[in-house]
Amino acid sequence: MNKKYSELFETAREVFRDECKADMTVGEDYGTKLFPHMRRVRRRGRESYTLYFNERVEVVLSLYDIAVIRDINIGAALSYYILFYECISLDEYDHAREFLNSFTEELERLRIEEVMKETRHETNSFRRYQVLFTLFHEISHEFYRRLDNCHVTATATSKKILQSLKGPYTEVFTEENFAEAMKRKDVTNFILSQIPEGSSEEEMTRIVNEQVALYFYLTDLATYIDRLLNGDDKQFLDEISCDRYAFMIFMRWIEKRHIPSDKSSLLHDILYVAVNAMDNVKVLQTYCNPPRGAKDMPYDPRQIVLRQRALITNNLVLQGKKYQEESDYYTELNTTLEELMTTALNTMRTHEKLICEILERREKVKAVDSGIIHELQNAMESAVSSLVKDHDTPCPLDDIPMSASDFMDTESLWQLVKRYVRVKLTGRYAK
């Protein structure tokens, strides 16, 4: 494994030992699952843990970092990258080569190699914190599984955050009649902006119907939050809890190293982008792996919105502020991320017929050609080299030492009890 990731995994491993009182090993994943995932095996009454990591996640994170730093829409490139590896996994080598060509053409069109040299903050540095965050997120799932009392408290906190989002974030949908909202120019113009020039009448009708359906979907956001508060989707509540716990682990580093507020805000922005990438890639991949049951269903738009907003609120809470959301917080950043996702989804839809044809053949046994796979993967690695190679401009956080001990909890039981009581009584997070 690449040395820079080995160091991050060793940090995560030591934190896992400290949090869960257990050890874990690291495994490399070469499949289509891009973000880290934990596997637990029980043999002869003993449990062992392996945290799997796919180095291709650095390409996805690099694309996202470029998008937000330079305001470049990399949605099409992201879809082509996902489709390339999905085709390889299904032994559809000719189609994989087509998506490889489309990916490289998109990078050239966006002038990515030039952009990487000019980037204000070096994205390899961004990835360092983003990858570590995803590792901490996976550790958090196991931490809550092992410690039920902590899990109960975390779920209650996540519900309180969702309750805080119910008012400010849904008022635009609940205080106006939907028909009136549709008359507003910003809503109408947004829907019209999704229609490419030269579209047929059939295509225009389809896009309008999809967008109208989405707005109807979001009008029910307050009701959806009520369902979550009643425990309808415990897995999603866990995702919010684990995001918060992973961020709390970073907060230990911030406090121990006395990191100033401007740099801690930058860190939160970096981690926020990683959460977006994790959610969005999962949705995009369902085009290539349609859900076969309720457990396989992807996040819907409401969950993506709420998870992102919950992380923003967690940042406020961990600063000792009340459970609330600032009105125009992250508006510009979210606009960039939403445009990226819209383009990525439209790209997937463009190839929907081809994807369906490939999926119809996936159950048939095909001969694996390791030679072609190796050739295609080498070609892709060459294409993405400009995204992942080191550059000279470091992230402002890079001058701050970072060791495993910085991320460990040294809070005494008495301090823990006092903090818990403060949260219960005041709704504020006590550091």
Side-chain angles (χ1 to χ4, degrees):
M1 181 176 287
N2 188 305
K3 182 181 178 182
K4 62 184 175 185
Y5 293 122
S6 297
E7 293 172 355
L8 297 179
F9 265 102
E10 189 55 38
T11 297
R13 185 181 182 187
E14 291 189 36
V15 172
F16 182 77
R17 286 172 178 162
D18 187 63
E19 300 285 305
C20 299
K21 312 307 177 193
D23 201 0
M24 72 175 186
T25 56
V26 176
E28 293 186 71
D29 192 338
Y30 299 100
T32 57
K33 190 158 188 173
L34 293 175
F35 284 89
H37 54 285
M38 180 86 77
R39 288 182 188 169
R40 184 179 72 254
V41 178
R42 189 174 184 85
R43 291 195 184 100
R44 298 177 182 175
R46 298 186 64 182
E47 291 182 326
S48 61
Y49 304 88
T50 304
L51 189 55
Y52 287 91
F53 179 71
N54 190 333
E55 289 193 9
R56 292 172 193 146
V57 71
E58 66 178 339
V59 174
V60 172
L61 292 172
S62 288
L63 288 170
Y64 267 84
D65 292 336
I66 291 168
V68 298
I69 294 170
R70 296 301 298 269
D71 193 21
I72 296 174
N73 191 329
I74 52 79
L78 176 65
S79 290
Y80 293 139
Y81 187 74
I82 291 172
L83 286 166
F84 170 78
Y85 280 108
E86 293 287 350
C87 282
I88 284 184
S89 73
L90 298 170
D91 302 313
E92 295 282 345
Y93 307 126
D94 290 339
H95 293 309
R97 186 170 280 108
E98 291 173 14
F99 288 123
L100 169 64
N101 293 336
S102 297
F103 178 78
T104 54
E105 288 171 6
E106 187 66 9
L107 293 189
E108 290 173 6
R109 185 184 72 79
L110 297 174
R111 300 172 40 248
I112 292 297
E113 188 158 5
E114 297 174 39
V115 168
M116 288 296 292
K117 293 177 181 177
E118 301 166 359
T119 299
R120 183 168 59 89
H121 295 326
E122 199 277 295
T123 58
N124 283 349
S125 294
F126 276 25
R127 289 198 308 276
R128 179 188 183 195
Y129 308 105
Q130 291 167 330
V131 167
L132 192 54
F133 178 82
T134 64
L135 301 179
F136 287 156
H137 177 95
E138 286 305 303
I139 288 172
S140 300
H141 278 292
E142 184 56 31
F143 174 76
Y144 285 134
R145 189 192 73 84
R146 294 168 67 93
L147 299 173
D148 189 58
N149 288 340
C150 293
H151 188 203
V152 170
T153 302
T155 300
T157 304
S158 294
K159 286 183 176 181
K160 192 164 188 177
I161 288 172
L162 286 175
Q163 182 68 51
S164 76
L165 296 178
K166 185 178 175 182
Y169 197 66
T170 58
E171 62 184 6
V172 66
F173 300 113
T174 58
E175 292 183 0
E176 296 177 323
N177 178 274
F178 180 75
E180 289 297 317
M182 286 299 293
K183 294 177 184 177
R184 286 169 32 205
K185 287 185 177 179
D186 57 338
V187 175
T188 305
N189 289 340
F190 173 76
I191 292 178
L192 293 176
S193 71
Q194 305 306 302
I195 303 176
E197 291 184 13
S199 296
S200 65
E201 186 174 342
E202 181 183 357
E203 180 69 6
M204 291 171 65
T205 302
R206 182 186 69 79
I207 293 173
V208 170
N209 287 340
E210 282 183 358
Q211 296 299 325
V212 169
L214 176 60
Y215 272 85
F216 270 115
Y217 206 40
L218 292 175
T219 58
D220 198 31
L221 194 58
T223 304
Y224 183 66
I225 291 176
D226 282 335
R227 285 172 47 200
L228 292 172
L229 295 176
N230 290 328
D232 276 11
D233 193 336
K234 294 179 181 179
Q235 177 61 37
F236 179 60
L237 288 174
D238 282 351
E239 293 300 325
I240 292 178
S241 297
C242 290
D243 285 342
R244 180 173 61 259
Y245 200 78
F247 187 54
M248 285 171 63
I249 294 174
F250 267 103
M251 286 290 290
R252 299 170 190 167
W253 174 54
I254 289 172
E255 291 179 0
K256 289 177 183 178
R257 292 294 179 179
H258 305 290
I259 297 174
S261 59
D262 60 331
K263 291 186 179 180
S264 61
S265 294
L266 172 62
L267 175 65
H268 185 268
D269 292 354
I270 292 170
L271 303 184
Y272 181 76
V273 171
V275 168
N276 274 267
M278 290 165 70
D279 267 352
N280 293 346
V281 164
K282 182 176 180 179
V283 172
L284 292 172
Q285 286 183 318
T286 60
Y287 273 81
C288 309
N289 296 284
R292 298 184 177 185
K295 290 185 178 180
D296 299 322
M297 288 299 292
Y299 287 171
D300 61 35
R302 295 171 297 187
Q303 288 190 343
I304 293 176
V305 167
L306 291 175
R307 187 179 177 189
Q308 294 167 1
R309 287 318 207 184
L311 187 60
I312 292 173
T313 307
N314 284 328
N315 187 33
L316 299 175
V317 171
L318 293 171
Q319 292 174 24
K321 300 178 181 179
K322 285 186 177 180
Y323 292 80
Q324 62 184 4
E325 181 186 24
E326 297 177 359
S327 57
D328 296 323
Y329 198 55
Y330 276 30
T331 300
E332 184 177 346
L333 177 56
N334 280 330
T335 299
T336 299
L337 293 167
E338 287 165 8
E339 289 174 352
L340 182 165
M341 189 57 174
T342 299
T343 300
L345 284 170
N346 286 337
T347 302
M348 285 292 191
R349 290 190 186 109
T350 301
H351 299 285
E352 201 158 13
K353 184 178 179 181
L354 171 61
I355 294 170
C356 289
E357 291 174 357
I358 292 173
L359 291 174
E360 286 176 1
R361 299 193 293 266
R362 78 172 171 182
E363 302 299 340
K364 297 178 182 179
V365 178
K366 300 180 71 173
V368 177
D369 192 323
S370 56
I372 293 180
I373 292 176
H374 187 68
E375 173 201 332
L376 288 169
Q377 289 179 337
N378 283 345
M380 178 56 83
E381 287 174 10
S382 176
V384 301
S385 61
S386 61
L387 290 169
V388 298
K389 66 184 177 185
D390 292 328
H391 296 278
D392 296 329
T393 309
C395 169
L397 290 165
D398 288 351
D399 61 355
I400 303 169
M402 191 167 69
S403 64
S405 60
D406 293 332
F407 298 98
M408 293 181 186
D409 189 6
T410 57
E411 198 170 33
S412 68
L413 181 60
W414 173 239
Q415 290 172 316
L416 199 65
V417 170
K418 284 199 302 182
R419 179 160 61 82
Y420 176 76
V421 171
R422 180 177 169 83
V423 170
K424 280 291 185 183
L425 293 177
T426 68
R428 292 175 180 267
Y429 178 86
K431 292 183 179 180

